[in-house]
Amino acid sequence: MKSRNNNKEKSQVLFSFNDRDISYGVFLDVLMDIGVEKGDVLFMHSDISVFGKLCLFDREALLNSLVNVLKESVGDEGTIIMPAFTYSFTRDEVFDLENTKSEAGTLTEFFRQMPDVVRTEHPIFSSAIWGKRKEEFVNTGKDSFDENSIFGKLHKQKGKLLIFGSPFDTSCTYLHYVEQMYCVPYRYSKTFKGKVRKDGHDYEDECSFFVRYPGGDVIFDKHKTERLLLDSGIFKVRPLGGARIMMADAEALYNEGFRLLDEDIYCFLENRPDETFGDFNFERYGVEIYELIKRLYPIYRSITGDGVRETLRVIGEHIPLEVHEIKSGTMVFDWVVPKEWNIKDAYIADSKGNRIVDFKKNNLYVLNYSTPVCKKVTSRELKKHLYTLPDYPDWIRYVTSYYKEEWGFSMPHRVFESLDDRDEYEVFIDSEIKDGFLTYGELLLKGETEEEVLFSSYTCHPSLCNDNLSGISLMTFLIKYLMDKKLKYSYRFLFSPETIGAITWLCLNEGRVSAIKHGLVITCVGDSGKSVYKRSRRGDAEIDRVVEKVLADSGEPFEIIDFFPMGGDERQFCSPGFNLPVGSLMRTPYGRYPEYHTSADNLDFVGSEYLADSFGKYVKVIYILENNVSYINLNPKCEPQLGRRGLYPTIGSKKGYNQVETAYRWVLSMSDGGNSILDIAIKSGLKFSSVKQACDNLKEQGLLKEVVSKD
C-alpha cells in the first residue's frame, strides 16, 4: 500500500477546471467526504472525460492514479467492482473472457486488464473485481438481474453504488435489478444463447436479460428518475470539476426503488401506458400466434373447399367467427364465384411403384385446383405438367390454376432432373370440382361509433407460413386482444380467399363500405425482415400517417412504399370505385424473398419474436386510431405557468426535458382545434404516446378541451 500513500502521488495534478487543479488528493478527499469508508464494496460507473482539462498526459499513469485513489479509499479490506459490460450475446458475438473489451468506459477496460483483477463470466453484464472479497462476487449466475447476479450480490452484501463522473442514465443499471425483483410488467426475461471463449476453449452458453417488451412504448425517463432519487436523499452528491460524484447504499436504493414502484409502477418511464392498451407482453402473443400457425400448417387450402372450412373452424375455437357461404355461379361484379374444389390424395409413381411425389407428405406437390387424373404417361408427357425452381433445386413451388382446367404437379428440380426418360409414370390426383360454395369468415367488434376499421387477411394459401398463415393467425389474436377492450371505432375482420373473396365481400356489402374509415391488409408478418408499409391508393389517408408514425416511433428500421396495383387485397379495397383508405403493414413484402410461394416458407422461416413485433405494431396502430383527437387551448394568450401546476420542473436545468415536458409546449402552441394529436406528434417529432400524455395532463389541469366531431 506504500505507493498509495505516497505524498508525491497525492499532489499529482490530474485535471484542471476553471483554473483550479484537481489532484489525486482532491479526488480522495471527495470520496471520503461523500461517505466511502475502509472495507466498502463499491460498484462504480465512470466517465473520466468530464472532470476537466487533462493535465497528466501519460495515459497509463492517469488511469493508474485514478484506480489507486479508489483502492486507497476502501483500503486493503475493501472491494472495487467495475462494469465490464460487452452485450456480446445480444449481438451474436463470441464472449472472450480474457480478451473481449469492456464497453463501459476507458477506466473500466484499464481496470479489467490489471493483474490482480478478476472478471465474471456473464456474457452480457460481466464485471471486473479487485479486493479482499472478489471471490465472493466473481461467481454470478446466468440471470442478469436476479439475486445471484452481481447486482443481487451487491445488494445482499450491503455494497455501495458510485457514479464517478458518468451521466445518470448510463449509470443506473442497478435499477434493472430493482425492476426485476419487483416484477414490473413492462419488462420480461429473455434468454440469449451464444459462444463463450475461456482459456482458449469455446463452449455454448446462455444467459437471461430482463428486457423491455417489444412493441411496448417503454422509454426510461432518466431526468424524472434522477430527480426522484435525488429528492429522496438516497444519493449523496459532490461536484468535482466539470462533473459530479454520486454515491448511494445499494440496500437503500433498492428500498427506495420499491417504495417508488409501490406508488407508481411506471415511475421510471416517460409515459404511463394507456389503460386500454397497457399490455406490454406481446412476446406471449407471438408464441401463441406461432402455435396457431403450427396447427393450421398441415391443412390444405385453396380459394374454396373443405380446407378453408377447417381453417375457419380452428380459428373459431379462439373467436366467435361468423362463417358465410356464397354459391358457385354467383355474379360478383365482373367475376363469377367459382366451383368448389376439394382433394383427397395425389401422387406420381414410377414403374416400380415408388412414389416420387406424395401429396400427403407435402400438399404443395399438387397444382392447386388441379383436375382429377388417373393414368400412366411417358416421362416426356409428364414433364409438360411439372413445375420446378431450377435456382432452388430442393424447394417445391406453389402453383395454382383456379380459372383454367388443368392437372399438374410441382416437385423439387433435383427430382425433376432424376426422371428416367425411358420409364413410364403413374399420375394420380383424386380431386373434385363441382358446384358448391365460396367460404369466408367475418367478425364485427362494435365500438361506440358506427365508423369502422377494416382488417383483412386471406385464407387460400396451403402450407405457406409467412404468406399467409402469419396474417390470419395474427389477426385471430388481434381480435382476442381487442374483445374485452372499450373501443371508439367498430372493428371488422375479414378472413377470405385472396382476390375473389374480397371482390365477393365488396359486392355483397357495397352499401356498407362507406362506414370504413381506415383499413389494413395483414400479410407476411412473421419473417425476420424489417417492417414495410404499403400505402393506400390515396397515399395521404389517416391510416397511412398513423402507420408511418408507429414505425417511426419504434426506433427500428422500416420502409414505406407507395401503392401499386399488385399484391394483396388492398387492390380490391382501393379500386377506383371504392378507393377505401386501406394499406398493408407487413415485414418482407410478397415476392421480395426467395422463399415466397415455395416450400421454404415453412415453420422455420417465421419466428415468434417477429410475430410479436408485428403484433405490437398493429396494436400501436389501433392505439393511435382510438386516441387521435383534437383539442382547443383554453389559455391561448401566452403560455400558462406549468410549474405551479406540477407539470414542469421548477428548477431550471441544462439537461433538457423529457418528451412529455417538451410536448406541453407543442400541444399548447398547436391546439387550435384544427390539429390532432397525430398532427402534433408528426410535426414535433415526438412520440404519439408522449404527446397524448401531455394532452391528458393539460386537460386534467383545465387547459385543454377536446373538439367534439360534428359527424
Side-chain angles (χ1 to χ4, degrees), residues 452-467:
E452 294 185 8
V453 180
L454 172 68
F455 289 100
S456 176
S457 195
Y458 45 92
T459 56
C460 51
H461 289 181
S463 295
L464 300 173
C465 288
N466 202 39
D467 182 35

Side-chain angles (χ1 to χ4, degrees), residues 594-638:
E595 296 85 355
Y596 173 70
H597 278 197
T598 76
S599 57
D601 184 2
N602 55 29
L603 291 166
D604 293 329
F605 186 65
V606 297
S608 63
E609 64 269 40
Y610 312 122
L611 293 162
D613 181 73
S614 297
F615 182 86
K617 285 168 180 168
Y618 269 91
V619 170
K620 294 296 261 181
V621 167
I622 295 171
Y623 170 76
I624 293 182
L625 289 174
E626 287 287 307
N627 291 282
N628 188 32
V629 296
S630 298
Y631 288 96
I632 291 178
N633 184 346
L634 298 179
N635 194 97
K637 295 178 181 179
C638 300

